[in-house]
Amino acid sequence: MKTIIAIYGSTGSGKSTSILALESLLDREKVYEEHHNGDRLLIARHKSPLNGGEEAFVGCCSEGDPPGYQQNEWLEKCVEYKCEVIMAACRNSGHTVDNIERIARENGYTTVYTAPYGNEDEYEFLNRIFADNMLNLVDELIKR
């Protein structure tokens, strides 16, 4: 099921670091990578253990702060590569959410919104747990 998982929150809430933590957990072969102002787009072939090890393209887009111009281009790139699942950072409202909703609507994606687990003292630990849970979600979505 083609899905955009939108990781939302304010600046410094762990959106990008959670997506980068997920990237490290993917059983992946990097297909495309791009960097801009400390953020990254990664498109990879991921082998989900839940569907017999078949590969699916997964996109990870860590740029989600306004105005979201790079985010829009990166989401389009994920669609071009026919990503089954796209992880994308965004704010709670505004341009970055509008980009995700438009891409989903125009390309037949379902959108799931979630937020990183927040705690000032435990970001590293919580980002890892969040990434583990997101990997499970990615695998389940690919299986469908």
Side-chain angles (χ1 to χ4, degrees):
M1 169 156 87
K2 293 188 337 183
T3 306
I4 298 175
I5 301 171
I7 313 287
Y8 70 90
S10 59
T11 299
S13 64
K15 303 178 306 284
S16 294
T17 54
S18 293
I19 290 172
L20 296 174
L22 170 70
E23 287 181 10
S24 70
L25 298 175
L26 292 172
D27 181 3
R28 64 187 169 102
E29 173 193 341
K30 182 171 50 175
V31 176
Y32 182 86
E33 185 173 8
E34 190 173 327
H35 298 263
H36 183 261
N37 288 341
D39 285 304
R40 173 164 98 164
L41 167 65
L42 174 73
I43 298 174
R45 283 189 186 94
H46 170 65
K47 291 183 184 179
S48 169
L50 302 180
N51 68 349
E54 292 209 22
E55 296 180 335
F57 286 103
V58 175
C60 296
C61 174
S62 72
E63 201 276 329
D65 290 326
Y69 299 127
Q70 195 66 41
Q71 178 208 40
N72 189 55
E73 292 175 21
W74 286 357
L75 291 170
E76 293 282 0
K77 184 65 77 173
C78 289
V79 170
E80 178 185 322
Y81 274 87
K82 298 181 176 30
C83 289
E84 185 72 18
V85 179
I86 302 169
M87 300 288 297
C90 67
R91 289 293 183 90
N92 298 330
S93 62
H95 293 298
T96 58
V97 173
D98 295 344
N99 288 340
I100 288 171
E101 288 299 323
R102 181 187 58 75
I103 293 291
R105 184 178 56 255
E106 292 176 358
N107 296 283
Y109 283 83
T110 298
T111 307
V112 174
Y113 285 88
T114 188
Y117 307 145
N119 177 308
E120 287 181 16
D121 301 322
E122 298 288 339
Y123 270 123
E124 188 174 317
F125 167 73
L126 292 172
N127 284 343
R128 183 180 53 78
I129 299 300
F130 182 77
D132 287 343
N133 290 331
M134 289 302 97
L135 178 63
N136 185 51
L137 178 57
V138 167
D139 287 338
E140 289 287 344
L141 291 168
I142 290 171
K143 182 177 87 171
R144 298 183 98 199

